[in-house]
Short mmCIF file of all heavy atoms in Angstrom, two decimals:
data_model
loop_
_atom_site.label_atom_id
_atom_site.label_comp_id
_atom_site.label_asym_id
_atom_site.label_seq_id
_atom_site.Cartn_x
_atom_site.Cartn_y
_atom_site.Cartn_z
N ALA B 432 197.68 -132.64 2.87
CA ALA B 432 196.69 -131.58 2.73
C ALA B 432 195.73 -131.90 1.59
O ALA B 432 194.52 -131.71 1.71
CB ALA B 432 197.38 -130.24 2.48
N LEU B 433 196.25 -132.41 0.48
CA LEU B 433 195.40 -132.72 -0.66
C LEU B 433 194.66 -134.04 -0.45
O LEU B 433 193.61 -134.28 -1.03
CB LEU B 433 196.22 -132.77 -1.95
CG LEU B 433 196.82 -131.40 -2.30
CD1 LEU B 433 197.73 -131.50 -3.51
CD2 LEU B 433 195.72 -130.37 -2.55
N PHE B 434 195.20 -134.91 0.41
CA PHE B 434 194.52 -136.16 0.75
C PHE B 434 193.25 -135.87 1.55
O PHE B 434 192.26 -136.55 1.41
CB PHE B 434 195.47 -137.04 1.57
CG PHE B 434 194.93 -138.41 1.87
CD1 PHE B 434 194.94 -139.39 0.90
CD2 PHE B 434 194.43 -138.72 3.13
CE1 PHE B 434 194.44 -140.67 1.16
CE2 PHE B 434 193.94 -139.98 3.41
CZ PHE B 434 193.94 -140.96 2.42
N LYS B 435 193.32 -134.83 2.37
CA LYS B 435 192.17 -134.50 3.23
C LYS B 435 190.96 -134.12 2.39
O LYS B 435 189.85 -134.56 2.67
CB LYS B 435 192.55 -133.34 4.15
CG LYS B 435 191.42 -132.91 5.08
CD LYS B 435 191.58 -131.48 5.56
CE LYS B 435 190.25 -130.87 5.92
NZ LYS B 435 190.24 -129.43 5.85
N ASP B 436 191.17 -133.33 1.36
CA ASP B 436 190.01 -132.76 0.69
C ASP B 436 189.05 -133.76 0.05
O ASP B 436 187.90 -133.80 0.42
CB ASP B 436 190.47 -131.70 -0.31
CG ASP B 436 190.72 -130.40 0.43
OD1 ASP B 436 190.06 -130.21 1.47
OD2 ASP B 436 191.56 -129.62 0.01
N PRO B 437 189.53 -134.61 -0.88
CA PRO B 437 188.55 -135.43 -1.57
C PRO B 437 187.89 -136.48 -0.67
O PRO B 437 186.74 -136.80 -0.87
CB PRO B 437 189.36 -136.10 -2.68
CG PRO B 437 190.75 -135.63 -2.56
CD PRO B 437 190.89 -134.79 -1.37
N TYR B 438 188.63 -137.04 0.28
CA TYR B 438 188.08 -138.17 1.03
C TYR B 438 187.70 -137.81 2.45
O TYR B 438 186.94 -138.53 3.07
CB TYR B 438 189.10 -139.32 1.07
CG TYR B 438 189.77 -139.57 -0.25
CD1 TYR B 438 191.11 -139.22 -0.44
CD2 TYR B 438 189.06 -140.12 -1.30
CE1 TYR B 438 191.71 -139.43 -1.66
CE2 TYR B 438 189.66 -140.32 -2.52
CZ TYR B 438 190.98 -139.99 -2.70
OH TYR B 438 191.59 -140.18 -3.89
N GLY B 439 188.27 -136.72 2.96
CA GLY B 439 188.23 -136.46 4.39
C GLY B 439 186.87 -136.40 5.01
O GLY B 439 186.65 -136.95 6.07
N PHE B 440 185.90 -135.77 4.34
CA PHE B 440 184.69 -135.45 5.08
C PHE B 440 183.82 -136.66 5.42
O PHE B 440 182.92 -136.55 6.21
CB PHE B 440 183.88 -134.35 4.40
CG PHE B 440 183.57 -134.62 2.96
CD1 PHE B 440 182.35 -135.17 2.62
CD2 PHE B 440 184.48 -134.28 1.96
CE1 PHE B 440 182.06 -135.41 1.29
CE2 PHE B 440 184.18 -134.52 0.65
CZ PHE B 440 182.98 -135.09 0.29
N ILE B 441 184.10 -137.80 4.82
CA ILE B 441 183.35 -138.97 5.24
C ILE B 441 184.24 -139.96 5.98
O ILE B 441 183.89 -140.42 7.05
CB ILE B 441 182.70 -139.71 4.05
CG1 ILE B 441 182.13 -138.70 3.07
CG2 ILE B 441 181.61 -140.66 4.54
CD1 ILE B 441 181.74 -139.28 1.74
N ASN B 442 185.43 -140.21 5.42
CA ASN B 442 186.25 -141.31 5.93
C ASN B 442 187.35 -140.82 6.88
O ASN B 442 188.46 -140.57 6.46
CB ASN B 442 186.87 -142.08 4.78
CG ASN B 442 185.87 -143.05 4.19
OD1 ASN B 442 185.04 -143.60 4.92
ND2 ASN B 442 185.94 -143.24 2.90
N TYR B 443 187.00 -140.71 8.15
CA TYR B 443 187.99 -140.23 9.11
C TYR B 443 189.08 -141.28 9.37
O TYR B 443 190.21 -140.92 9.63
CB TYR B 443 187.31 -139.84 10.42
CG TYR B 443 186.32 -138.73 10.21
CD1 TYR B 443 184.95 -138.97 10.22
CD2 TYR B 443 186.76 -137.43 9.96
CE1 TYR B 443 184.04 -137.95 10.00
CE2 TYR B 443 185.86 -136.42 9.74
CZ TYR B 443 184.50 -136.68 9.76
OH TYR B 443 183.62 -135.67 9.52
N GLY B 444 188.72 -142.55 9.30
CA GLY B 444 189.69 -143.61 9.55
C GLY B 444 190.90 -143.53 8.62
O GLY B 444 192.03 -143.36 9.08
N PRO B 445 190.66 -143.60 7.30
CA PRO B 445 191.80 -143.49 6.37
C PRO B 445 192.52 -142.15 6.49
O PRO B 445 193.74 -142.10 6.33
CB PRO B 445 191.14 -143.63 4.99
CG PRO B 445 189.86 -144.35 5.25
CD PRO B 445 189.42 -143.95 6.62
N LEU B 446 191.77 -141.09 6.78
CA LEU B 446 192.42 -139.78 6.91
C LEU B 446 193.41 -139.79 8.07
O LEU B 446 194.54 -139.31 7.95
CB LEU B 446 191.36 -138.68 7.14
CG LEU B 446 191.91 -137.26 7.21
CD1 LEU B 446 192.55 -136.87 5.88
CD2 LEU B 446 190.82 -136.27 7.56
#
Side-chain angles (χ1 to χ4, degrees):
Chain B
L433 295 175
F434 186 77
K435 180 203 154 204
D436 278 332
Y438 316 108
F440 53 96
I441 319 168
N442 280 326
Y443 299 106
L446 183 63

